[in-house]
């Protein structure tokens, strides 16, 4: 995207051309009391070296993922990122998040998006994938709106085991649109949905389930799909930890109609919460109602392959009332990181990473369950996250771990009051065996000190 500066004379001419006398006339609809008439209250200008020193001091107040041992997941995961990802995305021709509207100057970026879409379809088992949305939570909200358009229904069943913040985003998106959101509670023994307790009706647009769910449990997606389809509803599957797809069956093969998720695990750093990458994939028959964009391949009159935006259902391209999305900021750089990550690992590499996550989480969970005062809260199969119950104050346990530079997990009481004595633990391939043993040793010390 080129930046074209305009001189003061040119700007004045543009204002005259549209019948105004001054640029300030453009802001006339804004009430006077809301207009800023004074300089912003900012500190005085500083030398570049002083600004850099200031930000180094501020940065030093934080602990990076490399300084702590992370057992904190819950939607954001610390995975190993191959060095070549930074090297490739830093190339000038790729280093933008802007949508490549002009195919004649954007063939590389367009091909990268095409490859990304193909990879997402392969790992989710779906037919078509979006060119990327903001993040997992907004991708879910977009999927719910998409289900309403496809079914002309506004009742949605959300599993209580869907990430609580994802559910909040859905509520925000739909609260003025007349949606009826129903929460499907989880089984207190298994920590998963009991499929027989989910009862969609002919008014239900979609059933939303996350697997692995917020507690790490693997849901019975296939049975939930059957129950949704029996009444003409859609099944939306949320995946916040897509590394799990290296071992688990793709949601598409389990009957999902729309698959959404967070792609941060695919080579995108934690970065204090963003920018992340929203995944969305669906069946080909639903593509006209899919938000976002699709890059496709085309051929010129000489048969040479090229890439173009083949579907863009944004309001600037089609009639506003027909638009399915107002997505403006593109996440293409994050999508490129995901594509490079998946191509670097390949199917076998992704399976190996997933297997390491599974094995290490299983090892740590067994060790913790043997400690006095600690136990596994739920009886379910899990991937790399599990819930621990303790007879000690949860925050005290987590503070003790933090003193040893261990982020031990997420206290669940803030989201689930009935789980106030529990915390969620995540284990990824980045944590060596000795760190798993050190985690257990700290818990043992905490127990023995009581």
């Amino acid at each position: 995207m080129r930046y074209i500066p305009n001189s003061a004379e040119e700007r004045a001419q543009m204002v005259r051309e549209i019948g105004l006398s001054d640029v300030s006339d453009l802001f006339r609809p804004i009430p006077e009391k809301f207009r800023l008439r004074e300089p912003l209250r900012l500190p005085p200008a500083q030398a570049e070296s002083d600004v850099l020193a200031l930000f180094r001091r501020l940065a030093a107040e934080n602990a990076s993922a490399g300084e702590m041992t992370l057992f904190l997941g819950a939607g954001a995961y610390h995975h190993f990122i191959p060095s070549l990802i930074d090297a490739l995305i830093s190339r000038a021709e790729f280093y933008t998040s802007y949508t490549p509207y002009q195919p004649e100057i954007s063939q590389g970026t367009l091909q990268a998006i095409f490859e990304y879409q193909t990879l997402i379809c392969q790992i989710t088992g779906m037919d078509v994938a979006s060119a990327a949305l903001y993040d997992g939570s907004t991708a879910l909200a977009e999927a719910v709106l998409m289900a309403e358009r496809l079914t002309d229904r506004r009742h949605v069943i959300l599993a209580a085991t869907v990430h609580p913040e994802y559910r909040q985003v859905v509520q925000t998106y739909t609260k003025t649109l007349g949606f009826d959101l129903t929460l499907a509670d989880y089984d207190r023994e298994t920590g998963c949905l009991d499929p027989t307790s989910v009862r969609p009706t002919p008014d239900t647009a979609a059933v939303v389930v996350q697997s692995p769910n917020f507690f790490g449990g693997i849901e019975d997606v296939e049975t939930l799909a059957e129950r949704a389809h029996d009444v003409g509803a859609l099944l939306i599957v949320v995946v916040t930890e897509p590394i799990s797809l290296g071992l688990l069956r793709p949601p598409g093969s389990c009957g999902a109609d729309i698959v959404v998720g967070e792609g941060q695990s695919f080579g995108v750093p934690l970065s204090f919460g963003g920018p992340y990458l929203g995944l969305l994939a669906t069946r080909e028959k639903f593509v006209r109602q899919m938000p976002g964009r699709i890059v496709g391949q085309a051929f010129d009159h000489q048969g040479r392959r090229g890439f173009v935006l083949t579907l863009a259902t944004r309001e600037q391209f089609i009639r506003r009332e027909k638009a399915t999305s107002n997505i403006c900021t593109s996440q293409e750089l994050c999508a490129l990181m995901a594509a490079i990550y998946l191509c670097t690992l390949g199917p076998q590499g992704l399976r190996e990473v997933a297997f390491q996550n599974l094995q290490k989480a299983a090892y740590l969970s067994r060790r913790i369950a043997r400690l006095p005062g600690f136990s596994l809260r739920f009886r379910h199969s899990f991937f790399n996250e599990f819930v621990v119950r303790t007879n000690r104050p949860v925050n005290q346990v987590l503070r003790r771990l933090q003193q040893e530079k261990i982020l031990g997990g997420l206290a669940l009481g803030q989201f689930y009051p009935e789980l106030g004595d529990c915390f969620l633990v995540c284990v990824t391939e980045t944590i060596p065996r000795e760190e798993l043993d050190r985690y257990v040793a700290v818990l043992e010390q905490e127990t023995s000190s009581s």
Side-chain angles (χ1 to χ4, degrees):
M1 185 66 183
R2 297 184 180 90
Y3 173 66
I4 304 173
N6 297 303
S7 66
E9 291 76 16
E10 289 169 329
R11 290 197 295 273
Q13 183 183 354
M14 285 191 285
V15 170
R16 286 195 300 274
E17 289 290 333
I18 59 175
L20 302 177
S21 57
D22 190 81
V23 171
S24 61
D25 292 338
L26 293 170
F27 305 109
R28 198 178 300 147
I30 302 175
E32 188 69 28
K33 63 179 180 180
F34 295 124
R35 298 191 205 177
L36 185 65
R37 298 295 187 188
E38 59 189 27
L40 292 172
R41 283 177 288 182
L42 296 173
Q46 299 182 52
E48 181 181 356
S49 57
D50 293 336
V51 173
L52 290 173
L54 170 65
F55 280 103
R56 287 194 190 98
R57 287 197 300 273
L58 293 175
E61 296 177 9
N62 296 308
S64 72
E67 299 170 58
M68 306 282 284
T69 305
L70 301 187
F71 293 85
L72 188 61
Y77 301 93
H78 185 223
H79 291 291
F80 174 74
I81 300 176
S83 299
L84 67 85
I85 292 180
D86 268 352
L88 291 178
I89 66 164
S90 299
R91 291 178 63 93
E93 57 268 44
F94 279 133
Y95 208 46
T96 177
S97 63
Y98 202 76
T99 302
Y101 292 118
Q102 296 170 275
E104 64 272 24
I105 62 171
S106 307
Q107 279 301 292
T109 304
L110 285 164
Q111 181 173 354
I113 297 172
F114 180 80
E115 304 291 353
Y116 160 80
Q117 293 169 178
T118 304
L119 291 161
I120 297 304
C121 287
Q122 289 174 343
I123 64 169
T124 59
M126 305 302 283
D127 302 326
V128 290
S130 161
L133 301 174
Y134 294 139
D135 60 18
S137 65
T138 52
L140 174 57
E142 292 282 359
V144 168
L145 298 179
M146 178 179 165
E148 184 270 339
R149 292 192 296 271
L150 287 166
T151 62
D152 199 22
R153 306 172 183 177
R154 295 191 175 184
H155 175 237
V156 176
I157 298 176
L158 281 162
T161 49
V162 171
H163 195 304
E165 292 172 344
Y166 282 38
R167 287 190 271 117
Q168 290 173 2
V169 172
V170 171
Q171 289 166 352
T172 301
Y173 266 59
T174 60
K175 68 180 179 183
T176 61
L177 300 177
F179 276 64
D180 175 17
L181 302 181
T182 299
L183 200 63
D185 206 359
Y186 62 91
D187 184 279
R188 293 297 189 267
E189 291 298 317
T190 67
C192 293
L193 282 185
D194 175 1
T196 61
S197 69
V198 179
R199 298 185 177 87
T201 71
D203 295 325
T204 303
V207 174
V208 181
V209 61
Q210 177 178 323
S211 186
N213 66 28
F214 190 67
F215 304 140
I218 297 169
E219 300 278 7
D220 184 354
V221 174
E222 202 159 10
T223 302
L224 289 165
E226 291 171 0
R227 295 185 69 83
H229 294 162
D230 282 346
V231 295
L234 304 180
L235 181 73
I236 300 174
V237 176
V238 184
V239 183
T240 62
E241 174 49 298
I243 293 293
S244 64
L245 297 177
L247 287 178
L248 302 179
R249 284 178 62 195
S253 70
C254 299
D257 299 290
I258 305 172
V259 179
V260 297
E262 175 51 63
Q264 176 265 320
S265 288
F266 292 156
V268 181
L270 291 169
S271 300
F272 298 97
Y276 282 176
L277 170 63
L279 312 177
L280 192 148
T282 188
R283 305 287 181 194
E284 186 174 0
K285 61 184 177 182
F286 300 143
V287 70
R288 300 296 301 181
Q289 293 299 331
M290 193 178 82
R293 313 172 180 88
I294 294 180
V295 171
Q297 63 177 348
F299 297 89
D300 67 10
H301 68 283
Q302 295 178 335
R304 294 176 299 186
R305 188 174 74 148
F307 299 91
V308 293
L309 280 178
T310 54
L311 182 70
T313 52
R314 183 178 168 190
E315 85 292 339
Q316 75 176 146
F317 299 117
I318 60 177
R319 285 181 294 169
R320 184 177 295 273
E321 65 273 19
K322 296 291 185 182
T324 59
S325 177
N326 185 30
I327 294 168
C328 297
T329 303
S330 180
Q331 299 293 86
E332 304 313 339
L333 193 64
C334 294
L336 178 63
M337 298 168 83
I340 298 171
Y341 178 87
L342 290 170
C343 290
T344 302
L345 267 64
Q348 186 57 40
L350 181 62
R351 190 173 298 113
E352 174 61 27
V353 171
F355 195 56
Q356 285 191 37
N357 278 248
L358 176 69
Q359 281 191 314
K360 291 184 174 183
Y363 172 79
L364 183 62
S365 67
R366 287 195 299 270
R367 293 288 311 275
I368 292 176
R370 293 181 193 137
L371 296 174
F374 293 91
S375 61
L376 300 187
R377 173 62 181 80
F378 295 119
R379 177 175 48 81
H380 61 203
S381 300
F382 58 85
F383 174 59
N384 66 356
E385 289 180 281
F386 54 90
V387 176
V388 175
R389 172 192 275 165
T390 175
N391 60 4
R392 303 181 63 79
V394 169
N395 288 332
Q396 179 179 317
V397 173
L398 296 180
R399 276 198 304 272
R400 178 71 184 89
L401 289 162
Q402 193 169 340
Q403 288 170 359
E404 302 297 328
K405 290 190 175 298
I406 295 171
L407 283 181
L410 178 74
L412 289 175
Q414 59 186 308
F415 297 118
Y416 301 89
E418 71 277 15
L419 300 178
D421 57 350
C422 298
F423 56 100
L424 182 68
V425 179
C426 174
V427 187
T428 70
E429 78 284 357
T430 60
I431 305 177
R433 169 78 171 265
E434 52 267 28
E435 287 298 303
L436 301 177
D437 292 337
R438 191 164 73 90
Y439 187 105
V440 175
V442 175
L443 293 186
E444 286 177 326
Q445 293 168 9
E446 176 67 14
T447 303
S448 60
S449 66
S450 60

